[in-house]
Amino acid sequence: MKLVPKLPVVRPGGAKVLLPNEIVDLKKPVTRSRVVRVEFCELASEGLMDKFVIRGGNRLVGSIRISGAKNAALPAMAAALLTDEPVILENIPDVRDIQTERNLLVSMGAEVELGYGRASHRTTISCKNLVNPEAAYELVKTMRASTLVLGPLVARMGRARVSQPGGCAIGARPIDLHIKGLERLGSSIKQEHGYIEATADRLRGGHIIFDKITVTGTEDLMMAATLAQGETVMENCAREPEVVDLAALLTKMGAKIEGAGTHTIRIQGVDKLHGARHRIIPDRIEAGTFVTAAVLTGGDLTLTNCDPTHLGALTQKLEECGVSIRAAADSIRVTNGHQLAAADVTTEEYPGFPTDMQAQYMALATQAQGTSIITENIFENRFMHAQELARMGANIKVEGSRAVVRGKTSLSSAAVQCSDLRASASLVLAALVADGETILDRVYHIDRGYERIEEKLKSVGAQIRRIGEFLPRRAAVPSVVA
Ligand code: EPU
């Protein structure tokens, strides 16, 4: 099937709404949870050259509701490929990467429906009529997580053609472990013309020992193994909450999985999976970013709808810096009225300190008294924000995988550029305490993974506004983004 970019189409009237265990065709739209069908659309270049203007100096006080986790939602949406019945996902964040994944699924023939009004964070995916098991370069180049469709497609359709993602702003990020794992499950793999083509009559269970811990690799192969014949044992697996959440969804769909959240996952393959309804876990990185914002601005923030148990490494580190944190079952309150003390950080796989919080922590370290050594162990090139922070007055020296941050330095406003999602978050945080008005360029990076960050920050007292770029749209489309 050829992808023909169309304008976004919204068809509320004739769409289907899914109720537990049944599909009902709606004659009339329902008021509270109308659904809209998503068709393939060119991701609007709109917003791609937006900037944030942030005036620093305000304490952040109040409460922010945390969105669903992008990195749990992406594999959950890919899991819908494993069944011909509808999968209903709640708490899906409204961020650009999710739009990209919807487009990817629609390009394969999936029907994707969005909730409306109160149900606006619900997405229903029906992969009954998959016609095109392919992830094209145009989509994969903008979002590496598109490779998550590889395992489910081979498992259900017997073939998949997925573009090689290539490198990105934070490192080389190969997907060799996904490929080796699929081969262990009996798939034949060909790599040509920049695409990976995987085929298999039916996958069969196997023993996979990951050479290195990989989050999406664990997820991709866990999905593939659910429909393989026999037992799969995967060792040296990622233990991230997003892996556990995916296993919970797959289990609801009828998969037999044990050990998710530990290093060894066992999967008994089944012949068929069915539809399910699942609520995505809260975004621990979004929560961590706002926790850091509260600390930096000497504020008092309560984050609701989050899971403090997923934030252990960060909150422990912040307590070491002198911050007061009170966690409840699904909320966390952070107050800070003291001078921060410097503390070293080393990124590790979960439950260690997350690489996705490293950039934000660096912004914080610029305001701590003393020297903080930040070691990045997961990606080889994830210090792009250091240069931009230095332009704002930070004293940071990068030596290979270590960054030495000497604080406390006062930060001054500047025009800075976002280079990837978390680097952007770090610059937003720095701008909140900088003297004067910082202009942040290329905020499309932040829109990939933070839902309306400027509105959430504004609601607790930040001075932040989004401005559009008045250049011709064509010229504004970026090439490869991380
Ligand atoms: N790696 C390989 N071969 C592979 C796969 C990974 O060598 O086949 C290496 C990577 O190059 C990296 C390390 O293994 O050095 C870990 O990479 P991993 O596969 O765990 O990363 P990922 O699955 O591609 C996910 C998140 C990232 C997050 C990392 C690490 C999603 C969609 N993405 O990426 O999130 O940084 O795990 O926790 O889940 C973000 O949200 O900003 C983001 C980049």
Side-chain angles (χ1 to χ4, degrees):
M1 188 182 89
K2 201 164 170 234
L3 301 186
V4 185
K6 292 183 200 161
L7 288 173
V9 178
V10 169
R11 285 203 264 128
K16 292 170 188 163
V17 68
L18 295 151
L19 302 173
N21 306 322
E22 59 176 345
I23 300 177
V24 181
D25 271 323
L26 283 182
K27 297 253 164 30
K28 285 187 233 152
V30 284
T31 41
R32 281 224 209 118
S33 71
R34 213 157 41 140
V35 291
V36 292
R37 177 82 47 89
V38 177
E39 294 193 358
F40 185 85
C41 59
E42 194 173 23
L43 273 184
S45 51
E46 181 190 317
L48 283 181
M49 278 317 204
D50 285 1
K51 299 178 200 287
F52 282 162
V53 179
I54 302 172
R55 177 170 287 280
N58 285 15
R59 280 182 75 219
L60 302 189
V61 179
S63 149
I64 296 179
R65 185 181 165 85
I66 298 304
S67 299
K70 163 187 83 83
N71 289 349
L74 292 171
M77 290 170 77
L81 291 166
L82 289 163
T83 172
D84 58 7
E85 293 181 22
V87 172
I88 306 169
L89 299 171
E90 316 266 4
N91 206 27
I92 295 278
D94 185 11
V95 297
R96 188 173 282 265
D97 273 6
I98 295 294
Q99 294 167 14
T100 306
E101 176 129 351
R102 277 186 205 128
N103 256 358
L104 177 61
L105 295 174
V106 168
S107 76
M108 293 175 185
E111 283 186 10
V112 179
E113 294 172 351
L114 306 183
Y116 184 82
R118 280 195 197 171
S120 66
H121 289 90
R122 179 196 301 154
T123 295
T124 302
I125 303 166
S126 169
C127 296
K128 192 168 183 175
N129 302 310
L130 286 182
V131 287
N132 180 36
E134 169 165 335
Y137 176 64
E138 288 310 309
L139 288 166
V140 178
K141 77 171 183 191
T142 61
M143 189 184 71
R144 302 176 50 85
S146 308
T147 50
L148 277 167
V149 300
L150 187 59
L153 282 178
V154 203
R156 161 118 182 267
M157 308 279 286
R159 71 195 167 95
R161 186 165 183 270
V162 174
S163 171
Q164 299 258 22
C168 77
I170 61 176
R173 299 182 76 184
I175 56 162
D176 55 311
L177 303 176
H178 299 232
I179 294 170
K180 274 194 218 166
L182 280 178
E183 283 173 338
R184 301 282 303 170
L185 300 182
S187 173
S188 308
I189 309 269
K190 256 199 322 193
Q191 296 186 56
E192 53 186 21
H193 309 302
Y195 276 79
I196 299 157
E197 287 195 38
T199 46
D201 285 340
R202 182 172 179 193
L203 294 175
R204 49 169 199 277
H207 191 181
I208 299 168
I209 305 174
F210 289 103
D211 295 341
K212 197 170 178 181
I213 297 180
T214 157
V215 177
T216 48
T218 302
E219 292 164 348
D220 198 11
L221 294 166
M222 182 162 73
M223 289 191 275
T226 57
L227 289 180
Q229 190 162 33
E231 185 183 62
T232 298
V233 179
M234 306 200 302
E235 293 187 63
N236 202 24
C237 294
R239 294 181 289 165
E240 268 64 3
E242 293 76 17
V243 173
V244 178
D245 197 43
L246 175 64
L249 165 64
L250 293 169
T251 304
K252 288 178 191 168
M253 292 168 68
K256 306 233 173 307
I257 301 173
E258 273 173 28
T262 73
H263 283 309
T264 305
I265 301 180
R266 282 173 194 277
I267 302 142
Q268 297 292 339
V270 295
D271 291 339
K272 210 170 166 2
L273 293 177
H274 50 77
R277 181 186 280 267
H278 182 70
R279 186 171 177 81
I280 300 295
I281 53 170
D283 196 316
R284 63 194 167 101
I285 306 300
E286 189 201 19
T289 303
F290 289 129
V291 164
T292 313
V295 173
L296 264 173
T297 62
D300 182 351
L301 281 188
T302 300
L303 307 174
T304 60
N305 196 39
C306 71
D307 187 340
T309 62
H310 295 162
L311 292 166
L314 174 69
T315 51
Q316 195 173 309
K317 188 53 66 182
L318 293 176
E319 280 166 354
E320 214 178 302
C321 300
V323 176
S324 154
I325 295 178
R326 264 167 290 167
D330 65 352
S331 69
I332 188 165
R333 182 169 174 194
V334 189
T335 44
N336 184 37
H338 316 285
Q339 171 57 53
L340 289 168
D344 298 344
V345 146
T346 299
T347 63
E348 275 159 23
E349 293 88 2
Y350 191 84
F353 192 93
T355 172
D356 290 345
M357 278 303 301
Q358 177 261 105
Q360 300 89 316
Y361 186 81
M362 192 179 288
L364 184 133
T366 68
Q367 300 308 297
Q369 201 66 51
T371 300
S372 311
I373 298 177
I374 301 178
T375 308
E376 172 56 58
N377 274 332
I378 309 295
F379 294 111
E380 66 269 31
N381 185 28
R382 210 173 193 183
F383 284 140
M384 305 275 275
H385 43 282
Q387 282 163 290
E388 296 301 286
L389 290 172
R391 293 185 57 245
M392 295 176 74
N395 181 344
I396 305 172
K397 205 162 150 209
V398 174
E399 303 160 345
S401 62
R402 285 180 0 144
V404 180
V405 186
R406 294 203 163 79
K408 171 184 181 176
T409 47
S410 46
L411 299 179
S412 63
S413 57
V416 287
Q417 282 217 4
C418 304
S419 53
D420 72 75
L421 173 58
R422 309 304 171 187
S424 326
S426 137
L427 298 178
V428 169
L429 294 173
L432 290 174
V433 289
D435 176 29
E437 214 169 61
T438 296
I439 299 183
L440 235 93
D441 202 356
R442 305 194 171 185
V443 302
Y444 56 80
H445 286 293
I446 212 161
D447 292 335
R448 293 187 53 194
Y450 289 89
E451 184 170 326
R452 290 186 276 278
I453 190 171
E454 74 277 24
E455 287 173 28
K456 291 190 181 187
L457 286 172
K458 215 189 278 182
S459 74
V460 291
Q463 293 191 68
I464 174 169
R465 68 180 201 278
R466 182 186 287 260
I467 54 169
E469 172 62 80
F470 303 107
L471 287 175
R473 287 243 164 117
R474 282 270 156 228
V477 178
S479 52
V480 179
V481 290

